[in-house]
Amino acid sequence: QVQLVESGGGLVQAGGSLRLSCTASGRTASTYLMGWFRQAPGKAREFVGFLWASNSYTYYTDSVKGRFTISRDSAKNTVYLQMNNLKPEDTAVYYCAARLGDGVVTTAQYYAYWGHGTQVTVSS
C-alpha cells in the first residue's frame, strides 16, 4: 500500500502559479501511475492529469494543457503538479491518487489510493 499527502495549496491571483506536492510513503511512488484530480464545490471530481510509472509519460485534460505540468522526484518519493497561468475556474480541492498499472486512466474509480486533498483558490 501507499499513503499520499498533498501540500502546496493556497490563495493566488489569476495569472499566478502554484506547485502542489504529493508525497508518498509506504511504497515507492515511482511504482505507481500517479494522477491528479480536482473537485470544485457542487461539482464532480474531475481528472487533471497523470504520470506513468514506466516511462514518466504524462497526459492532461484539455483545460489545463500548456499550463499544468506533472513531474516526479524519485529521491523524495514526491510527485508535483506545477500550475501556471492559473484561472478562477481552477479553484478546487486538488487530490493526488495512485494506482498500479499504466494506461490512459482518467476515471477516479480506477485509482486505489488517495490523498486528503489541498485547497487551491484563484482570485480574479
Side-chain angles (χ1 to χ4, degrees):
Q1 286 194 348
V2 63
Q3 292 78 44
L4 305 173
V5 177
E6 303 96 336
S7 61
L11 174 64
V12 64
Q13 288 189 331
S17 298
L18 280 176
R19 188 178 75 162
L20 306 184
S21 300
C22 174
T23 300
S25 61
R27 286 189 65 173
T28 304
S30 59
T31 305
Y32 295 85
L33 183 158
M34 299 298 295
W36 284 94
F37 289 77
R38 64 187 180 184
Q39 188 165 17
K43 295 189 176 181
R45 194 164 294 191
E46 175 189 26
F47 169 77
V48 174
F50 63 62
L51 175 75
W52 277 5
S54 58
N55 61 3
S56 295
Y57 168 73
T58 55
Y59 178 85
Y60 305 92
T61 192
D62 285 347
S63 63
V64 308
K65 282 180 182 176
R67 300 189 299 123
F68 289 13
T69 303
I70 300 173
S71 61
R72 173 168 45 218
D73 185 333
S74 296
K76 295 182 178 180
N77 217 21
T78 298
V79 173
Y80 301 99
L81 178 65
Q82 177 68 45
M83 304 185 295
N84 298 327
N85 190 23
L86 282 160
K87 303 175 181 181
E89 52 263 42
D90 294 318
T91 295
V93 177
Y94 282 72
Y95 300 88
C96 70
R99 56 164 279 127
L100 287 172
D102 287 338
V104 182
V105 187
T106 62
T107 305
Q109 70 182 88
Y110 296 115
Y111 288 78
Y113 307 101
W114 289 84
H116 292 294
T118 185
Q119 176 71 47
V120 171
T121 303
V122 184
S123 63
S124 57

